[in-house]
Amino acid sequence: MPAYSDKVMDHFKNPRNVGEIENADGVGEVGNPICGDMMTFYIKVEGDRLKDIKFKTFGCGAAIAVSSMTSEMGMGKTMEEAMLITPQGVADELGGLPKVKFHCSNLGADALHLAIDDYRKKNNLPPLVHGEQAHHDEETDDQSWDTAVDVVEP
Amino acid sequence: MPDIYMDHISANPVLPEVKQAMLPYLEERVGNPSSLHKWGQAARDDVEAAREKVAALIGADPSEIIFTSCGTESNNLAVKGLALANEKKGKHILCSAVEHTSVLSSAKALKRFGFETELVPVDRLGRVAPEDVQKRIRPDTVLVSVMQANNEIGTIEPIAEISKVTKERGVLFHTDAVASAGNIPVNVKTLGADALSLSANQFYGPPGAAALWLRQGTRLTPLLDGGFQEDNRRAGLENFPAVIGMGKAAELALADMPHRMVYLQNLRDKMIQVIPSIVPHTVQTGHPSERLPGHASFCIGFIEGEGMLLWLDDSGIAASSVSACTSKALKTSHVLLATGMETALAQGSVVFSLGIKNTEDDVDYVFEGLPRIVDKLRKMSPTYAKFLKGVV
């Protein structure tokens, strides 16, 4: 396991805003349990502000801490402001993430942005421009020692 | 808070008697076992005494023991050394699908020398069927490698039955006994293999000492070029303090094995029986009875292993997991996938590997803490929420 910062451990052990919102105004889901991490974000919108944010996360310590921090960073912001939250910004607020966790587990901003997209679509509002994304799907691992199982399948 | 270590498959404490045996070589004793002076000869004698003890642990002749630095080196030496020594005969290697990465990666590395590796499947319990080996042996097959016991799921393989097949077909057979040697009876005569890897730390010896047993008369291409140590099969200064510790650990393991096995099996069976009953949606991995004495492994549904380990650690319990998130490569365990485990469920892997210092109280403490931890993680799990709503 990687060494996590105190801030990551705090958000992992005491995650803020865990849960679901009944009749949420927008829902965003990223990842899947097969790749190890999955996050679902729920938002409640009032005017153009995020009145409430809740999340559920399946994943490692980093994934849970990232979700918690993203929800805190987005809370009360306007949707435009929330779209500016980036994976790098979330990692910085957490006092850094282990390199190996940055791409695969840093999906909170994506999930929040998708929830905002969902809200805007439902309300016939024009979509907002997404900030920098984690590009988790493009990340490949080329460490050769791990390619052992790529030999001829039975 | 208690301090409960249940990760013996990763590393073991060195027994006090082992430390005592090593101490002279970390203090006043000096001498390269290859040197002619009395210091060197004393070290040589002690290394040879250790070789006899390690040989006795597995029913072998001392001349058949090659000391190495770790289990990974032993596996590399066996797979690469045996394949390369026999490349004129053919370039086809068979490995079980659940081998340790040091075996699989060694086989794969031989690709650049023209070798081809084929995996032999396992059943849901992780067992290799001898007939599955048999039907894959080709005229150009030079080596079969099947581990004696799996480190991730604990399953013990039918090595003696597989060796009947390899003998019949005249193919060399290596077994990786790193997880098993010193923990269950290992006798190279009854197992019938040609090479066997073992590692000191797995039976309370020091890290840095391991061995490859190689049947007398078996040709091997060395991996390290240099001096004539280890009968010209492994060049380099012997790590003699560790080797001497390995000898002591082997002697203790052999003498104490029946007691250790019964003790650990009782604790293990309690974990295997109780954990699935107090943590719903949990499956035990590997074979229910044909398994390492102290090895209890599970996949727990709707949660991810790393979060579980962090919370266990927070409660004073050290365990391990083979989930994608806990692996440095971020890949789902090839062992669990080979047993047909669903990928999502494989992420909930947790392995409790018990040691002789663990107690009934330790096990009870895990029973107390684990359901609470799983509950906490499930409360924030979107897949569990979907399951409860009947979506999945």
Side-chain angles (χ1 to χ4, degrees):
Chain A
M1 278 185 294
Y4 289 129
S5 69
D6 290 348
K7 197 104 181 243
V8 171
M9 284 309 289
D10 174 39
H11 276 264
F12 164 70
K13 283 190 190 168
N14 311 292
R16 286 58 147 176
N17 308 310
V18 176
E20 293 177 33
I21 298 175
E22 288 268 333
N23 307 313
D25 294 328
V27 180
E29 189 175 289
V30 291
N32 63 65
I34 288 170
C35 72
D37 288 316
M38 175 179 171
M39 297 174 189
T40 312
F41 268 68
Y42 303 84
I43 55 170
K44 198 91 196 161
V45 181
E46 218 173 75
D48 65 346
R49 285 194 184 270
L50 299 174
K51 176 106 196 318
D52 197 12
I53 304 174
K54 291 221 180 303
F55 73 89
K56 286 215 161 170
T57 291
F58 172 103
C60 64
I64 290 168
V66 159
S67 309
S68 168
M69 178 55 82
T70 306
S71 72
E72 246 187 7
M73 287 169 76
M75 196 72 82
K77 280 203 167 75
T78 65
M79 285 184 280
E80 283 85 354
E81 288 165 350
M83 290 311 268
L84 299 176
I85 296 172
T86 63
Q88 185 62 56
V90 174
D92 289 347
E93 283 294 319
L94 283 168
L97 280 175
K99 199 171 159 224
V100 66
K101 295 289 184 186
F102 188 88
H103 289 281
C104 68
S105 306
N106 200 349
L107 310 175
D110 289 6
L112 178 61
H113 296 165
L114 287 177
I116 293 171
D117 282 351
D118 181 47
Y119 164 77
R120 298 185 71 88
K121 204 171 163 188
K122 280 180 190 156
N123 291 280
N124 294 316
L125 293 165
L128 293 169
V129 180
H130 278 241
E132 177 203 333
Q133 289 188 17
H135 302 299
H136 53 282
D137 290 330
E138 291 161 30
E139 186 65 7
T140 52
D141 189 279
D142 58 5
Q143 285 174 309
S144 57
W145 60 265
D146 176 60
T147 52
V149 290
D150 296 337
V151 283
V152 187
E153 291 297 329
Chain B
M1 190 172 64
D3 220 354
I4 297 172
Y5 187 78
M6 290 197 182
D7 192 16
H8 294 82
I9 202 75
S10 302
N12 278 279
V14 173
L15 289 175
E17 299 94 318
V18 172
K19 180 185 146 191
Q20 282 307 321
M22 292 171 68
L23 268 184
Y25 282 94
L26 301 170
E27 289 171 347
E28 76 279 10
R29 293 289 288 273
V30 63
N32 184 325
S34 296
S35 300
L36 270 178
H37 48 66
K38 66 175 180 187
W39 301 91
Q41 288 314 299
R44 168 59 49 207
D45 289 348
D46 286 344
V47 166
E48 293 315 312
R51 197 184 306 280
E52 281 171 25
K53 289 170 185 165
V54 171
L57 177 68
I58 58 170
D61 188 90
S63 67
E64 298 172 315
I65 300 292
I66 305 168
F67 284 122
T68 65
S69 65
C70 59
T72 289
E73 188 193 334
S74 295
N75 285 339
N76 271 258
L77 182 57
V79 174
K80 294 174 183 169
L82 290 172
L84 291 173
N86 291 279
E87 62 179 332
K88 287 210 175 84
K89 190 196 161 205
K91 294 194 169 186
H92 181 242
I93 299 170
L94 288 173
C95 293
S96 91
V98 295
E99 292 303 295
H100 188 263
T101 48
S102 55
V103 166
L104 293 175
S105 297
S106 291
K108 196 177 181 199
L110 289 168
K111 205 173 158 186
R112 82 177 94 110
F113 297 100
F115 283 85
E116 180 194 344
T117 302
E118 194 177 335
L119 297 182
V120 182
V122 295
D123 64 16
R124 299 191 76 81
L125 306 177
R127 297 260 282 185
V128 173
E131 51 273 25
D132 278 332
V133 174
Q134 188 170 33
K135 65 187 180 204
R136 281 172 179 78
I137 293 179
R138 312 192 309 213
D140 63 337
T141 305
V142 285
L143 177 68
V144 172
S145 188
V146 178
M147 70 205 319
Q148 193 184 19
N150 186 277
N151 52 312
E152 295 187 16
I153 58 174
T155 299
I156 295 171
E157 301 292 348
I159 298 302
E161 285 75 43
I162 296 169
S163 77
K164 281 196 191 107
V165 172
T166 56
K167 257 193 206 137
E168 210 177 271
R169 302 290 296 269
V171 177
L172 289 172
F173 181 32
H174 164 250
T175 185
D176 166 7
V178 168
S180 52
N183 292 294
I184 60 171
V186 173
N187 187 308
V188 294
K189 291 185 187 79
T190 51
L191 288 177
D194 301 292
L196 179 143
S197 306
L198 66 159
S199 174
N201 190 238
Q202 285 295 316
F203 47 90
Y204 306 96
L212 178 68
W213 166 78
L214 188 65
R215 179 183 295 285
Q216 220 144 43
T218 311
R219 288 193 308 129
L220 180 86
T221 300
L223 298 183
L224 300 184
D225 298 308
F228 298 93
Q229 291 91 348
E230 297 303 297
D231 207 13
N232 218 1
R233 294 171 298 189
R234 201 272 189 182
L237 175 65
E238 298 89 342
N239 181 357
F240 45 93
V243 160
I244 288 158
M246 183 178 188
K248 188 68 194 176
E251 181 186 288
L252 295 169
L254 186 61
D256 210 18
M257 194 175 294
H259 163 253
R260 286 186 193 175
M261 280 181 69
V262 171
Y263 182 75
L264 289 174
Q265 274 165 0
N266 280 335
L267 294 181
R268 172 200 75 187
D269 288 344
K270 196 171 168 191
M271 290 193 103
I272 288 176
Q273 280 157 21
V274 172
I275 287 178
S277 73
I278 56 173
V279 182
H281 314 294
T282 294
V283 293
Q284 185 226 315
T285 63
H287 200 284
S289 55
E290 289 297 308
R291 59 186 299 116
L292 288 170
H295 195 289
S297 54
F298 310 90
C299 281
I300 298 182
F302 310 112
I303 61 168
E304 192 285 317
E306 190 198 281
M308 189 161 32
L309 291 195
L310 290 170
W311 275 119
L312 284 167
D313 192 38
D314 189 67
S315 318
I317 303 164
S320 64
S321 169
V322 295
S323 79
C325 290
T326 51
S327 77
K328 280 196 187 126
L330 303 175
K331 295 252 169 82
T332 305
S333 153
H334 68 281
V335 175
L336 291 177
L337 292 181
T339 65
M341 184 67 67
E342 279 175 64
T343 314
L345 188 52
Q347 309 310 335
S349 146
V350 62
V351 180
F352 298 100
S353 45
L354 302 155
I356 50 178
K357 294 276 164 61
N358 286 128
T359 63
E360 193 102 11
D361 283 350
D362 292 351
V363 169
D364 288 337
Y365 184 75
V366 172
F367 297 161
E368 213 176 282
L370 188 64
R372 193 169 31 82
I373 289 168
V374 171
D375 204 43
K376 191 153 32 190
L377 290 167
R378 280 186 180 155
K379 274 196 180 122
M380 63 174 90
S381 162
T383 59
Y384 191 56
K386 283 183 181 180
F387 167 78
L388 291 180
K389 287 174 193 156
V391 182
V392 180

